Amino acid sequence: MKQSLEGCTGKGLEIVENNVTLNCRNYTITGANERNTGITVNAQSGVEIKNCNIKGFYSGISLENSSNSVIKNTDSSSNYATGISLKGSDRNLIKSNNVSANWDGIFLQNSTGNKIKGNEMHRNTIDGVHLFYGSFNNSIEGNNLTRNRGHGLAPAVCGNRINNNT
């Protein structure tokens, strides 16, 4: 029985309800091109995404205008732009993920009060974590950011807590 989603030519999965848990059980969601997102969450709250492997998309996981959600124990690598992207998303936890070989590992824009903790971010073309405009009061701690070509951490804005990263 085939469990992975392979060769997705559009979005991989879109979560359209609040308080949903997606446990991929280490199966893979693979994109066939670089124009779509592996897992999309738009305007939802309380979503948990865990144990997923996502590759071959424009963005592996995208939270837009979403809050109080968790992304953990997931591998989002070899995507064209970002492994994990938060836009207009507040109070989320991004924990214990592998985010490697993307353009940016984790990208935040207009997102506040998020916690990025204990992630592995390696070999991204630009940055391991990129905090873009409008991203304040985020906590980035205990992450391992190595061999990214730009920066391990690119805080383009002030007002974030950055502690104990390698």
Side-chain angles (χ1 to χ4, degrees):
M1 182 166 140
K2 189 174 185 178
Q3 300 276 334
S4 294
L5 295 175
E6 297 175 357
C8 298
T9 57
K11 292 178 185 175
L13 296 172
E14 184 172 10
I15 297 174
V16 297
E17 296 287 333
N18 292 325
N19 304 312
V20 169
T21 297
L22 171 63
N23 184 350
C24 294
R25 296 188 177 127
N26 294 317
Y27 288 104
T28 301
I29 302 169
T30 305
N33 64 50
E34 301 165 346
R35 296 184 184 187
N36 292 290
T37 302
I39 299 173
T40 302
V41 180
N42 191 347
Q44 303 303 323
S45 179
V47 172
E48 182 176 1
I49 298 168
K50 61 184 180 179
N51 305 317
C52 298
N53 298 302
I54 304 147
K55 61 183 179 179
F57 290 94
Y58 182 80
S59 184
I61 299 172
S62 177
L63 298 183
E64 294 187 24
N65 305 308
S66 296
S67 62
N68 301 309
S69 294
V70 176
I71 301 170
K72 68 179 183 179
N73 301 324
T74 288
D75 185 318
S76 186
S77 300
S78 300
N79 296 291
Y80 179 74
T82 58
I84 299 172
S85 174
L86 277 67
K87 294 181 180 175
S89 294
D90 305 325
R91 299 174 313 279
N92 299 290
L93 174 62
I94 312 301
K95 182 179 178 183
S96 301
N97 300 289
N98 178 52
V99 189
S100 303
N102 304 288
W103 185 262
D104 280 323
I106 298 175
F107 178 85
L108 276 70
Q109 179 179 333
N110 291 325
S111 297
T112 61
N114 297 289
K115 183 179 266 190
I116 299 171
K117 183 176 182 177
N119 298 284
E120 298 285 329
M121 289 166 271
H122 310 289
R123 299 178 292 106
N124 292 291
T125 303
I126 302 296
D127 302 318
V129 177
H130 189 151
L131 298 169
F132 202 53
Y133 68 84
S135 295
F136 303 100
N137 198 30
N138 295 292
S139 174
I140 297 91
E141 65 179 74
N143 298 288
N144 187 4
L145 306 129
T146 58
R147 298 186 319 180
N148 297 289
R149 289 187 195 163
H151 305 93
L153 176 60
V157 293
C158 299
N160 293 289
R161 291 177 308 284
I162 301 169
N163 296 307
N164 301 319
N165 297 287
T166 303

